[in-house]
Amino acid sequence: MQPYMTMDFVRSYPFSGAWRRTAFRGCLALAAAFLLFLFPGTTLNALVIGTGAYLFADGVMMFSFGVTEPRVRVGMFVRGALAVVAGALAVTFSSMTLGALVFALGAWGVFAGCLELMLAYRFRDRLLVPWLWGRAGLVSLGFGILFLVWPEPGRTLLAFLLGVYALLAGSFMLLLATRLRAGERRAAR
C-alpha cells in the first residue's frame, strides 16, 4: 500500500467521506445542464428559478463541507453563504433583469473558482486528485469572468453557456467523487 493511501491519510484527507456529497452536486449540475440544453428557449423566470435552486442546493452542500472540515471552514461557509443568498435572491426576485443575474453568476463563479484553485494548490500534496480540483476551479473562474466581461447575452445563449458550465462542472465533480470513493476503499483495505 502506498504511504499516501493509509487509513490515517484518508481520515485526515480534506473532504474525506464527502464523495457522496460531491457526487450529489455533480448529479445536480448534470441535471441542470440537461434541462438547459433540452429547453434553451426557456423563459427568464424559469431560468432564474432553476439557477437559484441549483445555487441554493450548492450552498447547502458547501455549508455541510464547512461543518465537517475545520481546515477550510471559513472559505466553505463564505462560498455557501454567497450561493445560498444568490439562490434565494434569484428565486425571490425572479423578475430581476438578465444583466443582474449574469453579474451575480459571474461573481459567484469567480469566487468559487478562486476557492477551488486555492484548495487544489494548498492541499496538492494531500489530495488524491488535485488536478480535478484545479480544473473545476478553472472552469468556474473562466465562466465567472466570461459572465462579468460580457453581461448582456441573449436568453438562449445564456441558457447554452450555463448548460456548458453545468456539464463541465458536473462531470468534474462526478469524476472527483469516483476518485475519492476509490481512494477511501483502497485505504480501508
Side-chain angles (χ1 to χ4, degrees), residues 3 14 26 35 45 50 75 101 104 114 117 130 174:
L35 291 173
N45 281 345
L101 171 65
C114 289
L117 286 170
L174 284 178

Side-chain angles (χ1 to χ4, degrees), residues 129-179:
V129 282
W131 61 272
L132 280 175
W133 280 103
R135 291 215 172 105
L138 287 174
V139 167
S140 294
L141 183 62
F143 274 92
I145 290 170
L146 177 67
F147 287 158
L148 290 175
V149 171
W150 188 30
E152 292 298 330
R155 289 181 179 151
T156 303
L157 183 59
L158 177 61
F160 177 76
L161 290 174
L162 286 173
V164 169
Y165 169 73
L167 180 66
L168 291 173
S171 298
F172 282 127
M173 283 185 254
L174 284 178
L175 186 55
L176 177 63
T178 59
R179 297 292 301 265

Side-chain angles (χ1 to χ4, degrees), residues 62-104:
M62 288 299 98
F63 275 128
S64 71
F65 281 135
V67 167
T68 60
E69 298 300 329
R71 289 168 285 197
V72 293
R73 181 168 287 152
V74 172
M76 289 298 152
F77 280 159
V78 170
R79 180 178 176 194
L82 283 174
V84 166
V85 168
L89 286 174
V91 171
T92 304
F93 301 107
S94 59
S95 61
M96 70 181 179
T97 66
L98 186 59
L101 171 65
V102 172
F103 180 78

Side-chain angles (χ1 to χ4, degrees), residues 101-117:
L101 171 65
V102 172
F103 180 78
L105 289 173
W108 171 78
V110 167
F111 183 80
C114 289
L115 180 65
E116 288 166 350
L117 286 170

